[in-house]
């Protein structure tokens, strides 16, 4: 858990982002989106659909357009309130790219090479895009552009957040205090939901299995089927032990995050019970959690023009912060003003 300014702290400006790639899943919801929604009453929140990040690997243009609009619909359906928060599309605010360049000249090759996400995604290949390598610098620009102090993310983003802090501190040291140094806000429960078929891996639409991933808009019958066929083990005991029982432990973590009950309480509840009963309960609570989101999504999806209007409004509000911030950065660096 982050220290001051971390999970649960008040007043800091909040920023977070999500990629418009693949079907968004219950890991995204429990690790991030749910906390974005909860943060709205206490903080000034800015949430971003990071379309620029998603082209670090090849994507089909029509699919990207569709996925961006569909993710916005999903986020509004999940409870992001355009009256309280700013939700916008990253590419609508070009200052993200401009600031990324300035930060590129602050970050080092060595620190980017250490990023485990890059190592995983590149698989050691040199033929990947420069953008994939540079991905964390654009991510740093996203947050520093708004001087956000708090970044609610899942566990897989921890290293990117540490790099972002290092970049901010280095820039501030070189040019004088410019950026708020952000803190990761990683929830104590639900920050790493695992794949139901390969429970040593995180749930992911790009790196995980289809059968082991619970998409947020998935039909309840399919959700039920996937949970009932989750990998477990043969000793029959419902006990949390990630090393010896990764499958059962993954299901316990999932249910704990969904129901807001601790794992020891769940272990006590299921003492002497079988995996079948346990899985039935997990499925019922997942389906119940997602039902309102799915219903709201169906309503909003009927009016894409309204979603686009909300996104335009979001971008206008984001620009009000981003434009003067980039001007301040340019001045600090010493660029001759254009006028
Ligand atoms: P993305 O789109 O992969 O995921 C969005 C959020 O979901 C969390 N998450 C998970 N949480 C729990 N269990 C899982 N299995 C799981 N999988 C994903 C992620 O941690 C994330 O919080 N690089 C980011 C997007 C980004 C960003 C930013 C985030 C771009 N700029 C600035 C914060 C601040 C990403 O690819 O998230």
């Amino acid at each position: 858990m982050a220290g001051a300014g971390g999970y649960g702290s008040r007043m800091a400006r909040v920023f977070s982002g999500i990629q418009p790639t693949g079907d968004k899943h219950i890991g995204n919801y429990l690790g991030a989106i749910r906390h974005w929604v909860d943060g709205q009453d206490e903080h000034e929140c800015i949430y971003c659909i990071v379309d620029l990040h998603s082209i670090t690997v090849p994507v089909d243009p029509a699919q990207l357009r569709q996925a961006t609009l569909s993710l916005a619909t999903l986020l509004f359906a999940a409870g992001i309130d355009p009256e309280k928060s700013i939700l916008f599309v990253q590419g609508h605010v070009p200052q993200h790219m401009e600031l990324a360049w300035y930060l590129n000249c602050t970050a080092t090759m060595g620190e980017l090479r250490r990023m485990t996400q890059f190592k995983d995604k590149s698989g050691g290949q040199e033929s990947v895009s420069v953008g994939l390598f540079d991905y964390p610098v654009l991510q740093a620009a996203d947050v520093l552009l708004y001087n956000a102090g708090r970044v609610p993310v899942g566990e897989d983003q921890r290293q990117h957040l540490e790099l972002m802090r290092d970049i901010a501190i280095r820039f501030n040291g070189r040019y004088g205090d410019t950026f708020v140094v952000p803190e990761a806000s990683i929830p104590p429960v639900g920050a790493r939901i695992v794949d139901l078929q390969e429970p040593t891996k995180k749930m992911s639409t790009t790196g995980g299995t289809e059968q082991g991933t619970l998409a947020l808009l998935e039909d309840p019958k399919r959700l039920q089927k996937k949970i009932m066929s989750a990998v477990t083990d043969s000793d029959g005991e419902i006990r949390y032990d990630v090393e010896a029982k990764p499958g059962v432990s993954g299901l316990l973590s999932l249910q704990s995050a969904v129901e807001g009950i601790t794992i020891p309480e769940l272990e006590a509840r299921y003492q002497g019970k079988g995996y079948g009963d346990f899985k039935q309960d997990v499925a019922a609570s997942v389906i119940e959690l997602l039902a309102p989101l799915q219903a709201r999504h169906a309503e909003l999806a009927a009016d894409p023009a309204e979603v686009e209007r909300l996104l335009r409004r979001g971008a206008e509000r984001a620009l009000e912060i981003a434009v003067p911030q980039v001007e301040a950065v340019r001045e600090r660096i010493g660029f001759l003003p254009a006028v």
Side-chain angles (χ1 to χ4, degrees), residues 174-323:
R174 196 174 287 169
Y175 295 110
D177 267 353
T178 308
F179 299 123
V180 169
V181 179
E183 300 261 0
S185 171
I186 298 175
V189 179
R192 189 175 183 276
I193 299 295
V194 297
D195 188 288
L196 301 184
Q197 290 298 318
E198 292 182 15
T200 54
K201 289 189 181 162
K202 69 172 180 183
M203 188 178 284
S204 156
T205 29
T206 43
T209 68
E210 206 280 320
Q211 194 57 25
T213 302
L214 305 174
L216 292 173
L217 297 178
E218 201 145 20
D219 178 69
K221 284 204 189 78
R222 270 188 67 75
L223 290 170
Q224 166 101 14
K225 203 166 162 220
K226 285 181 173 182
I227 294 169
M228 294 311 291
S229 51
V231 162
T232 49
D233 51 54
S234 55
D235 85 355
E237 210 185 327
I238 298 165
R239 179 169 55 80
Y240 189 82
D241 180 341
V242 177
E243 294 296 314
K245 298 168 69 67
V248 171
S249 303
L251 285 169
L252 280 167
S253 296
L254 173 62
Q255 200 185 11
S256 164
V258 170
E259 286 195 25
I261 296 175
T262 66
I263 288 175
E265 282 170 315
L266 289 173
E267 286 172 330
R269 185 201 285 175
Y270 290 108
Q271 213 174 9
K273 300 230 170 85
Y275 290 162
D277 290 344
F278 171 47
K279 287 176 171 178
Q280 285 286 4
D281 286 359
V282 176
S285 42
V286 165
I287 290 166
E288 190 186 320
L289 175 78
L290 298 183
L293 184 157
Q294 295 189 345
R296 181 89 185 103
H297 182 271
E299 283 168 28
L300 284 174
D303 192 358
E306 173 62 5
V307 175
E308 287 187 66
R309 189 189 69 79
L310 293 173
L311 289 177
R312 270 197 302 278
R313 174 82 191 106
E316 281 163 15
R317 292 167 67 202
L319 280 161
E320 283 168 19
I321 306 169
V323 169

Side-chain angles (χ1 to χ4, degrees), residues 52-125:
L52 301 172
H53 277 105
S54 69
I55 63 159
T56 50
V57 293
V59 272
D60 173 68
Q63 218 174 352
L64 177 59
R65 257 187 298 275
Q66 201 277 329
T68 304
L69 190 62
S70 143
L71 179 53
T73 311
L74 179 79
L75 293 172
F76 287 127
I80 301 299
D81 180 346
E83 295 300 320
K84 293 182 188 159
S85 304
I86 298 177
L87 175 67
F88 73 105
V89 175
Q90 188 187 32
H92 295 175
V93 179
Q95 284 71 15
H96 288 249
M97 292 177 274
E98 184 175 348
L99 183 57
W101 175 255
Y102 306 146
L103 300 182
N104 271 332
C105 301
T106 306
T108 68
M109 296 285 287
E111 50 194 2
L112 291 183
R113 236 184 242 121
R114 283 194 289 277
M115 294 294 113
T116 52
Q117 200 148 311
F118 174 72
K119 288 192 223 166
D120 291 348
K121 289 201 173 166
S122 64
Q125 297 293 310

